């Protein structure tokens, strides 16, 4: 029942996720942060059971940090990080699958001019580079909005506006109550929180 939304724009990526931690008929918390910082310029938004969500996010994050430490500070590109995630999902698929669906957003500036990129992954280890994406039942409501409103050369404000439209649509039409969303941006200034419905620090 999780919702994860991503929109790529000219100078970065907007990632958003609902903050509910629920199972069956119970809601355990409504201030969960499902968007994990992987590197100074990339983040992973994950939907799925809380155990797999936390386990997979931390596993990927720590291994990317280990790679950087082991290779004289060399930072993996967003493309490389996405393929590493896909490889780990594919390996786990044949052992003990992670029940997670992900959107990985990052910012790269290889030749001076930076560009954001967004990658879509599912629990079967399918990987695709996309301009916008959504995971969960929310995709039934949000993909048409993104398809209509996304255009080449969007700026940050326009990308946030698309995400806000998707959230409002879910509030009106989705049968599940998802009262809080957290929205983060990944750009030349790193990974930052733009807004949240409930502070993840309040436990």
């Amino acid at each position: 029942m999780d919702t994860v939304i991503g929109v790529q724009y000219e100078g970065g990526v907007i990632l958003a996720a609902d903050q509910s931690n629920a199972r069956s008929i119970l809601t355990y918390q409504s201030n969960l942060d499902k968007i994990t910082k992987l590197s100074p310029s990339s983040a992973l938004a994950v939907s799925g059971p809380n155990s797999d969500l936390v386990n997979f996010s931390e596993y990927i994050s720590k291994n990317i940090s280990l790679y950087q430490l082991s290779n004289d500070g060399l930072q993996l590109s967003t493309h490389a990080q996405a393929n590493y995630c896909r490889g780990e999902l594919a390996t786990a698929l044949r052992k003990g699958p992670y029940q997670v669906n992900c959107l990985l957003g990052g910012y790269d500036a290889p030749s001076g001019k930076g560009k954001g990129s967004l990658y879509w992954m599912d629990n079967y280890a399918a990987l695709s580079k996309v301009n916008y994406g959504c995971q969960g039942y929310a995709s039934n409501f949000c993909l048409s909005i993104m398809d209509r409103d996304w255009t080449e050369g969007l700026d940050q404000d326009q990308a946030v506006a698309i995400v806000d439209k998707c959230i409002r649509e879910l509030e009106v039409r989705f049968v599940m109550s998802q009262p809080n969303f957290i929205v983060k941006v990944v750009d030349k200034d790193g990974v930052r929180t733009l807004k949240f419905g409930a502070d993840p620090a309040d436990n």
Side-chain angles (χ1 to χ4, degrees):
M1 293 295 183
D2 296 348
T3 296
V4 172
I5 300 168
V7 177
Q8 178 260 329
Y9 66 95
E10 188 68 22
V13 176
I14 301 296
L15 293 172
D18 77 284
Q19 294 186 265
S20 298
N21 176 13
R23 183 173 180 232
S24 184
I25 62 171
L26 294 176
T27 297
Y28 298 115
Q29 65 183 117
S30 56
N31 66 333
L32 183 64
D33 186 355
K34 300 176 183 178
I35 306 174
T36 303
K37 182 178 178 179
L38 298 182
S39 72
S41 58
S42 65
L44 182 69
V46 182
S47 70
N50 193 51
S51 55
D52 280 357
L53 185 155
V54 173
N55 190 11
F56 183 72
S57 299
E58 291 190 354
Y59 175 76
I60 295 297
S61 173
K62 302 311 179 191
N63 274 279
I64 287 175
S65 297
L66 177 62
Y67 179 90
Q68 189 172 352
L69 289 170
S70 302
N71 291 274
D72 299 322
L74 178 65
Q75 186 174 311
L76 289 172
S77 67
T78 307
H79 179 75
Q81 292 178 38
N83 279 276
Y84 171 68
C85 288
R86 194 216 72 84
E88 293 303 316
L89 286 170
T91 300
L93 190 62
R94 291 152 181 82
K95 299 177 181 178
Y98 292 105
Q99 298 298 317
V100 294
N101 297 292
C102 313
L103 288 173
L104 193 156
Y107 177 87
D108 299 293
S111 56
K113 184 179 180 182
K115 186 171 177 62
S117 54
L118 180 67
Y119 292 84
W120 181 98
M121 281 170 277
D122 69 5
N123 60 315
Y124 294 110
L127 172 65
S128 180
K129 186 177 182 182
V130 295
N131 294 318
Y132 52 82
C134 190
Q135 298 283 14
Y137 288 120
S139 60
N140 293 292
F141 306 94
C142 297
L143 289 179
S144 58
I145 296 173
M146 295 174 176
D147 186 55
R148 181 189 63 200
D149 290 356
W150 191 91
T151 56
E152 193 72 39
L154 282 175
D155 61 26
Q156 180 178 313
D157 291 339
Q158 291 171 314
V160 171
I162 292 175
V163 171
D164 287 340
K165 279 186 183 179
C166 292
I167 294 172
R168 285 198 301 271
E169 189 72 9
L170 293 173
E171 290 172 349
V172 172
R173 299 195 177 272
F174 192 28
V175 69
M176 298 297 296
S177 173
Q178 295 178 328
N180 298 322
F181 278 80
I182 187 167
V183 180
K184 295 187 179 183
V185 59
V186 184
D187 60 11
K188 60 182 175 59
D189 297 319
V191 181
R192 310 187 313 279
T193 301
L194 285 183
K195 53 187 172 181
F196 49 72
D199 191 346
D202 293 339
N203 290 319

